[in-house]
Amino acid sequence: MQNVSDVAKQWIRDKGGELLSQDELQKRLVAIDQQAEQKSAEDYLALKRKVYERDSLWPSGKKTTFTFERWLPERQPNKTAATEIKAQTQNLFKRLRREAFNVFLNGSAGVGKTAMTLAIVDAFEKYTNKTTMFVSAVALREAVMFDFSDLQAKAKLKRVEKSMLEVDVLVIDDFGSEVGMAGSVRQATERLQQFYMRVADARYEVDENDKRTKCTIITSNNTRSELSTMYNDKLISRLVTKKPANILLFVGLEDVRE
Ligand SMILES: Nc1ncnc2c1ncn2[C@@H]1O[C@H](COP(=O)(O)OP(=O)(O)OP(=O)(O)O)[C@@H](O)[C@H]1O
Ligand SMILES: [Mg+2]
């Protein structure tokens, strides 16, 4: 007389099914679990990236992109300098994949600072699972100084702030050009200073091994010491690196804007 298990096995064989040992069954369950975990990690990353894309503030209101491949040294009269800055930026990106630190791109107008920054952002999105966010300092100033009776604008700014605190890689583009003249000095308003201070403080966090976890990339036409006259020292110290290896100086390059 056949027992139930034998009948079941025969039935599975008749249907062309596969009989799995306990071991094999266990392995397959583990594999299914791993696939599900990977899929949910990918979905979570895609969702986070959507949020940071929504909260990014672009100079023209529209997202722009750039890649290392699109950087053409021949656009510059000094082709060697243009080739060199690309190599420096790519090396910096390699280091940024391993550790988080602040980056400062400094140089005059139209030399390609924003383009290079967007190339770093593009590389992070393509080759890593880090999240990125782009904030135009001028657009941010407008949002921060906006009339606060507008509840929708207020809610939007709250979301932008939260994202700026949390994102792995934050770009603050054209830092310093948002600061207007107050009498004879160029100094940021108290409200703007406080906003940036909350961001800078949160982004300076370290993990249990004392390693920074977040990277902030600043582009500016102003030097670090010029920025120090517009914002308080505590802020500049947290936001704008003074370490030469983490600074990209766009020297010997010209304005290529058409
Ligand atoms: N080497 C290059 N190859 C191709 N395009 C370039 C190059 N350098 C700059 N560009 C393009 O020229 C324009 C000006 O560059 P970008 O906006 O990056 O300058 P910037 O240094 O950020 O200027 P600003 O200080 O005014 O913000 C952009 O459209 C950019 O894509
Ligand atoms: Mg720029």
Side-chain angles (χ1 to χ4, degrees):
M1 184 82 160
Q2 282 185 311
N3 63 27
V4 177
S5 159
D6 290 338
V7 172
K9 281 179 185 160
Q10 191 56 49
W11 187 82
I12 290 169
R13 273 192 210 103
D14 291 347
K15 294 276 176 202
E18 201 184 345
L19 278 174
L20 300 176
S21 68
Q22 275 304 318
D23 252 14
E24 189 57 29
L25 198 60
Q26 194 53 37
K27 270 191 212 146
R28 289 206 185 180
L29 284 174
V30 169
I32 288 170
D33 272 356
Q34 277 172 351
Q35 276 170 13
E37 240 168 68
Q38 196 185 337
K39 173 85 175 59
S40 63
E42 281 166 13
D43 288 350
Y44 183 49
L45 176 61
L47 185 71
K48 280 198 294 186
R49 285 187 162 163
K50 275 218 163 67
V51 168
Y52 297 130
E53 190 177 326
R54 177 200 66 187
D55 293 338
S56 285
L57 300 174
W58 299 95
S60 57
K62 209 172 137 257
K63 177 177 176 173
T64 45
T65 60
F66 199 79
T67 61
F68 286 125
E69 293 74 38
R70 279 166 59 192
W71 180 265
L72 307 172
E74 55 273 22
R75 287 283 299 272
Q76 286 287 343
N78 187 344
K79 211 173 140 183
T80 316
T83 306
E84 179 58 25
I85 198 84
K86 177 178 169 180
Q88 270 180 30
T89 314
Q90 284 178 313
N91 278 332
L92 201 90
F93 172 66
K94 277 190 203 144
R95 285 174 46 223
L96 280 172
R97 291 186 74 160
R98 297 192 301 268
E99 49 174 334
F101 52 85
N102 288 354
V103 177
F104 183 39
L105 293 89
N106 191 216
S108 52
V111 292
K113 301 180 299 295
T114 301
M116 266 310 179
T117 304
L118 289 173
I120 299 175
V121 165
D122 173 74
F124 266 117
E125 294 279 325
K126 275 190 191 138
Y127 307 119
T128 76
N129 50 19
K130 296 238 185 296
T131 54
T132 68
M133 177 176 178
F134 186 98
V135 173
S136 144
V138 176
L140 180 69
R141 180 194 173 275
E142 234 168 81
V144 171
M145 301 314 289
F146 205 75
D147 173 11
F148 273 87
S149 55
D150 182 337
L151 290 182
Q152 237 177 331
K154 197 173 170 182
K156 158 108 181 136
L157 183 62
K158 268 279 149 229
R159 287 200 299 271
V160 169
E161 179 173 340
K162 184 166 189 291
S163 288
M164 286 178 76
L165 300 187
E166 292 174 355
V167 71
D168 297 319
V169 180
L170 172 69
V171 173
I172 300 173
D173 187 48
D174 229 353
F175 191 51
S177 49
E178 71 286 5
V179 180
M181 296 293 286
S184 60
V185 286
R186 265 183 89 192
Q187 216 172 38
T189 61
E190 196 54 32
R191 199 197 270 182
L192 194 58
Q193 298 245 17
Q194 282 172 3
F195 182 97
Y196 272 123
M197 201 58 206
R198 292 195 294 277
V199 172
D201 248 345
R203 298 191 64 77
Y204 220 78
E205 67 168 28
V206 289
D207 64 14
E208 62 281 4
N209 302 316
D210 235 18
K211 293 258 183 262
R212 294 271 312 272
T213 61
K214 296 184 190 307
C215 156
T216 308
I217 304 178
I218 306 274
T219 86
S220 185
N221 294 356
N222 296 112
T223 61
R224 193 174 191 274
S225 62
E226 283 168 346
L227 292 171
S228 304
T229 64
M230 303 177 199
Y231 286 97
N232 79 49
D233 290 345
K234 276 187 187 202
L235 177 74
I236 298 305
S237 158
R238 283 165 179 73
L239 226 44
V240 186
T241 180
K242 54 177 189 293
K243 194 172 166 184
N246 304 347
I247 298 175
L248 294 167
L249 274 183
F250 285 65
V251 286
L253 301 182
E254 289 183 16
D255 185 350
V256 296
R257 221 174 244 124
E258 280 146 17

